[in-house]
Amino acid sequence: MPVPLYRGFDYLLPPAWTAKARPGVRVRVAFGRRKLHGVIVRAPFERIDTAQDYRAVDAVLDDAPLLGSELIALCTWAADYYRHPLGEVIAAALPGSLKHGAAAVIARPLRWQLTAAGRAALAGLPAHHRVQRAALEALRDGARAAGEWPVAPALRARLLERGWVETVAADSARTATAPDLPALTAAQQAALGELEASSPGFRASLLEGVTGSGKTELYLRRLRAALDAGQQALVLVPEISLTPQLTQRLRERLGDGVLSFHSGMSDSEREQAWLAAREGTASVIVGTRSAIFVPFAKLGLIVVDEEHDPSYKQQDGFRYSARDLAVVRAQRLGIELILGSATPSLESLHNAQAGRYRHVRLTQRVHAQPPPRIRLLDVRGQTLAHGLAPLLLAALDRCLERGDQALLFINRRGYAPILLCHACGWRAACTHCDARLTLHRGRARLICHHCGTQQAVPAHCPSCGGTELMPLGQGTERIEQALANRYPRQRIERLDSDRLGKRHELERLLEDVRARRIDVLVGTQILAKGHDFPNLSLVGIVSADQALYGADFRAIERMGQLVTQVAGRAGRAGQPGEVLLQTHEPEHPLLRVLVEHGYEGLSAALLAERRDAQLPPFSHLALLRAEARDAAQPMRFLHAAREWLLPLPGLQVMEPMPSGMERRAGFVRAQLLIQAAQRSALQRALAATVPRLAELARGVRWSIDVDPADLF
Ligand code: ADP
Ligand code: ZN
Ligand code: ZN
């Protein structure tokens, strides 16, 4: 049942349905006073407890299991591993309409074709039946989609009635006319050789290649091989914005059977793609995180693009990692898995070094020019104009004079993160969170980025009445405005989540970038995600210093990935790129490693640090979070949970601590970190305690996060 309870429920099955009711079939049942849709997970007709008063199933919805045994097993594995109620996991695996009991019917696009009778009729049809003849002749060379057969509905109906034409389902798995394949470079050829297996069965490869090194081309070759072997494939991407581009590129090469699956699609579009994958007519599904739960008739390959991306981890509710589940799924199915990235996660690098994955590298770009070097810009003591140093501005001037494009990266949206009273030092703060309000000038609002609270920008300081309120620090909006003032004739645009409220806004912006209608793009980490800029020769990183003091142990890994990915956008079209990174910490050892030895050097240094500190991937973590309006409750709950965990073997249970941001959206938050050298010890401990935590909760909202992506 789709409820947050760590158990299943038993119902009586009326005899008429015993044949249909198998695991994976949906049922409608009374649950409390509601009617809910659930999925049968265990074969019925087991022992009946005569002392219990069972309710009867209302209806059995499917004739055949909607979820196959592979998917039920995957959901069960995920529920156990992430300690999340199985009913909610299964609900997460079903697209919206199917979750709510809709019939699982594939709406097939129909095609029209001539019958044998129609062919005969056409031969004998008198010439003056011109309209009929034309309609039939249009089908003489093969079936046509409705849109390609422009015939009036009345005539269509008449021809159908006479049995001269018929409808057939369009074969969505049609293969495309084989386009010319680019000849692989020597490096690609070598990498492809490594990806290809000597024997069938599970094999995982970490494909590490700088941006533009031709990873996608290699995915395409492996996808083609899977399809040729009669198998289907799943391609995971971190971001919705990447699915249309990649789907299009895959379609051109692999045919119409390539379908998308992501949250930007309507419920029915998602449902149709899901069903097509399940029945085997979709050859490839390109999707975001939740696509890891799409069922396949004959899955043969999973590709996880940009495998390091944090968005593969769901950050609320059922907190799973789609990347990690991809590994599990491929392993259970005994199939091929490719994890691709220019900046692999430390987890995957560690797995590769331990021999669990093959480590396949592409070190050169396809189009010869070397990846850009990053230069540190020491901004200490410099006069900054809205956060931009003179050297960066000079580089921008030169870039725009050449008619090239530039990109400025700053990981903060809004105008300024702080609004300060110059007279008394007051700073605008959120009343619900331990956080400052961010100034958004365009909307003339102060907004809390943690709970969404908004207010008007005050004209006077609420504390002293002073009128000199100054924005401190910068966000994308401020940089955009500063540049718009400096370069009035150039087109400056901003790309961040505030900007992307409208549908298709991103596609429109990126199209403008590709068509070179935009000269400077200012944006957040959205910029790092695999978009093509044809004429980009300068990348400016306004600051990455925040990460150097970040409380999270992954902060520098993330920073290194972001900086490398953003830098990788530069100089793609045959010209070397320039990358400038502003910092107040030019001597920081890890920043120096990044600049001098690239991400590879940084990741090696970070892995050594993690090993010394026994942090992941050299140990395993789970984070128990708790929050309540009453300040004392979360700590009380976590201390009680800790008492349960302490006697269990193989664990290190830390003291409960207030969360990094202790108050958010009116709730006081705290957390308990549980660490184990062995995954199995952690799993056993969580299995023994988490399902019973509700007994301790008493008004506390809590959640368990296995392999947390951040520790806030
Ligand atoms: P990545 O996925 O590593 O960023 P892509 O596969 O997208 O790299 O390749 C980068 C660019 O080079 C693309 O425009 C692609 O079409 C082109 N490309 C890739 N492989 C070849 C090749 N062997 N010959 C010519 N062009 C190629
Ligand atoms: Zn004041
Ligand atoms: Zn807030």
Side-chain angles (χ1 to χ4, degrees):
M1 303 306 302
V3 293
L5 298 170
Y6 287 92
R7 51 166 299 202
F9 296 86
D10 294 316
Y11 285 85
L12 273 184
L13 196 63
W17 282 324
T18 51
K20 288 210 284 183
R22 283 180 285 149
V25 162
R26 293 172 301 163
V27 292
R28 190 174 62 240
V29 297
F31 192 87
R33 265 175 292 165
R34 293 179 292 168
K35 298 282 188 198
L36 289 180
H37 294 103
V39 174
I40 300 177
V41 290
R42 215 184 304 136
F45 326 124
E46 294 183 349
R47 252 179 311 121
I48 287 185
D49 178 355
T50 44
Q52 226 190 303
D53 197 12
Y54 295 103
R55 298 168 92 168
V57 163
D58 266 17
V60 174
L61 302 182
D62 303 308
D63 292 332
L66 186 63
L67 294 175
S69 55
E70 189 251 331
L71 210 63
I72 297 229
L74 181 70
C75 288
T76 307
W77 191 96
D80 286 347
Y81 184 81
Y82 293 106
R83 282 295 135 208
H84 198 78
L86 178 59
E88 288 195 336
V89 172
I90 288 180
L94 289 171
S97 48
L98 297 176
K99 188 165 22 203
H100 300 117
V105 185
I106 295 198
R108 252 167 245 287
L110 291 181
R111 296 165 70 80
W112 294 85
Q113 71 180 19
L114 275 185
T115 61
R119 244 172 240 291
L122 178 59
L125 206 61
H128 65 271
H129 290 170
R130 277 203 1 259
V131 181
Q132 276 190 32
R133 281 197 72 91
L136 294 176
E137 263 165 8
L139 298 179
R140 198 162 49 190
D141 296 331
R144 288 197 168 198
E148 300 163 4
W149 192 48
V151 170
L155 175 57
R156 227 176 247 189
R158 204 155 63 237
L159 296 173
L160 196 60
E161 206 180 350
R162 290 189 186 148
W164 291 356
V165 299
E166 64 187 356
T167 55
V168 290
D171 176 14
S172 53
R174 247 180 327 150
T175 43
T177 46
D180 292 338
L181 301 183
L184 293 184
T185 63
Q188 279 175 316
Q189 194 61 57
L192 184 63
E194 290 181 67
L195 291 176
E196 280 165 354
S198 37
S199 58
F202 171 68
R203 59 186 190 286
S205 309
L206 175 62
L207 178 57
E208 179 176 5
V210 295
T211 313
S213 62
K215 293 186 294 298
T216 311
E217 186 59 40
L218 293 186
Y219 302 157
L220 278 162
R221 302 294 171 114
R222 294 309 297 147
L223 289 165
R224 179 78 266 168
L227 267 49
D228 287 347
Q231 298 169 325
Q232 297 168 282
L234 170 63
V235 179
L236 293 180
V237 293
E239 177 82 4
I240 293 179
S241 68
L242 293 179
T243 54
Q245 272 173 270
L246 190 62
T247 309
Q248 192 48 38
R249 191 162 160 196
L250 263 51
R251 274 214 174 136
E252 283 161 14
R253 291 277 287 275
L254 305 172
D256 301 340
V258 179
L259 301 180
S260 312
F261 186 89
H262 58 75
S263 59
M265 294 159 62
S266 73
D267 261 7
S268 73
E269 285 171 325
R270 276 158 63 92
E271 173 198 301
Q272 289 302 311
W274 194 93
L275 290 170
R278 171 176 169 271
E279 91 168 352
T281 44
S283 56
V284 180
I285 293 285
V286 183
T288 46
R289 191 170 55 219
S290 63
I292 189 59
F293 291 110
V294 169
F296 287 87
K298 41 189 191 310
L299 189 58
L301 168 64
I302 305 179
V303 175
V304 183
D305 191 25
E306 309 291 358
E307 65 87 27
H308 66 279
D309 200 293
S311 40
Y312 283 124
K313 180 78 197 267
Q314 167 104 1
Q315 300 281 23
D316 51 30
F318 169 31
R319 294 171 159 81
Y320 65 96
S321 156
R323 193 260 325 268
D324 294 347
L325 282 178
V327 180
V328 171
R329 194 170 184 189
Q331 213 160 20
R332 298 175 61 95
L333 285 168
I335 61 171
E336 178 178 357
L337 168 75
I338 301 175
L339 302 172
S341 176
T343 53
S345 63
L346 296 189
E347 277 75 8
S348 296
L349 282 171
H350 178 59
N351 278 329
Q353 283 159 15
R356 284 187 283 273
Y357 305 158
R358 304 178 192 196
H359 198 169
V360 182
R361 285 193 183 83
L362 282 174
T363 50
Q364 281 161 13
R365 292 178 168 191
V366 174
H367 300 295
Q369 81 276 19
R373 280 191 65 88
I374 301 172
R375 258 178 56 208
L376 288 186
L377 254 187
D378 182 356
V379 297
R380 287 174 302 180
Q382 303 268 311
T383 311
L384 302 181
H386 299 281
L388 305 176
L391 268 171
L392 178 56
L393 289 170
L396 257 174
D397 292 344
R398 287 196 303 275
C399 168
L400 295 179
E401 267 162 35
R402 287 194 302 267
D404 288 353
Q405 293 175 307
L407 192 158
L408 285 187
F409 169 75
I410 175 166
N411 220 354
R412 206 186 255 143
R413 62 202 167 82
Y415 187 85
I418 294 171
L419 185 67
L420 170 81
C421 171
H422 189 47
C424 78
W426 169 89
R427 289 155 189 235
C430 179
T431 47
H432 311 289
C433 306
D434 293 331
R436 309 267 176 231
L437 294 173
T438 299
L439 173 64
H440 286 249
R441 262 233 172 121
R443 286 188 268 172
R445 312 290 285 174
L446 290 168
I447 301 177
C448 174
H449 285 185
H450 304 280
C451 72
T453 293
Q454 303 196 3
Q455 61 188 63
V457 181
H460 306 276
C461 169
S463 176
C464 75
T467 53
E468 208 175 329
L469 297 177
M470 321 194 307
L472 221 60
Q474 40 277 323
T476 45
E477 206 186 314
R478 185 171 197 170
I479 304 284
E480 179 197 16
Q481 276 194 17
L483 295 181
N485 292 338
R486 185 181 175 93
Y487 305 111
R489 282 198 306 280
Q490 320 287 346
R491 179 154 165 214
I492 318 290
E493 280 284 1
R494 177 162 58 87
L495 181 54
D496 57 27
S497 57
D498 291 327
R499 191 63 218 284
L500 298 181
K502 281 173 258 157
R503 223 184 128 113
H504 302 306
E505 182 79 350
L506 179 64
E507 285 148 60
R508 207 180 52 71
L509 267 177
L510 292 176
E511 185 44 46
D512 282 355
V513 169
R514 274 191 292 274
R516 299 172 59 168
R517 285 190 289 269
I518 292 178
D519 300 299
V520 185
L521 198 57
V522 179
T524 56
Q525 79 271 6
I526 301 175
L527 292 175
K529 302 200 179 188
H531 306 297
D532 268 327
F533 297 83
N535 210 36
L536 187 69
S537 73
L538 174 67
V539 169
I541 296 159
V542 178
S543 173
D545 286 356
Q546 244 187 334
L548 300 177
Y549 327 109
D552 198 290
F553 72 93
R554 283 185 227 267
I556 295 185
E557 176 189 355
R558 289 273 152 75
M559 181 273 288
Q561 289 164 345
L562 272 175
V563 166
T564 308
Q565 296 273 349
V566 176
R569 310 282 140 227
R572 296 198 74 171
Q575 42 181 330
E578 187 176 16
V579 182
L580 299 175
L581 170 59
Q582 300 196 133
T583 179
H584 283 92
E585 292 281 329
E587 307 302 336
H588 193 287
L590 288 172
L591 207 47
R592 297 224 68 94
V593 170
L594 176 63
V595 171
E596 282 156 29
H597 304 286
Y599 182 76
E600 201 176 343
L602 180 70
S603 55
L606 290 173
L607 269 173
E609 277 192 7
R610 297 270 186 95
R611 185 191 296 274
D612 291 344
Q614 282 300 299
L615 283 168
F618 299 94
S619 69
H620 306 280
L621 298 180
L623 191 64
L624 180 60
R625 296 186 178 88
E627 59 178 31
R629 294 209 182 265
D630 177 324
Q633 289 298 321
M635 280 298 196
R636 178 201 56 75
F637 168 81
L638 294 176
H639 276 291
R642 185 163 186 266
E643 290 305 312
W644 283 4
L645 288 160
L646 276 177
L648 303 177
L651 298 186
Q652 222 186 325
V653 189
M654 314 296 170
E655 285 287 332
M657 295 225 302
S659 304
M661 180 176 299
E662 192 174 0
R663 214 165 42 94
R664 192 172 73 187
F667 282 79
V668 177
R669 309 156 70 228
Q671 59 192 36
L672 177 69
L673 189 63
I674 309 155
Q675 190 168 14
Q678 301 299 327
R679 217 187 270 286
S680 52
L682 184 61
Q683 282 296 316
R684 271 195 299 276
L686 297 179
T689 48
V690 173
R692 292 166 49 217
L693 281 176
E695 297 168 24
L696 301 175
R698 280 187 278 149
V700 172
R701 299 204 300 209
W702 61 273
S703 65
I704 185 77
D705 192 347
V706 179
D707 304 333
D710 63 58
L711 300 185
F712 283 95

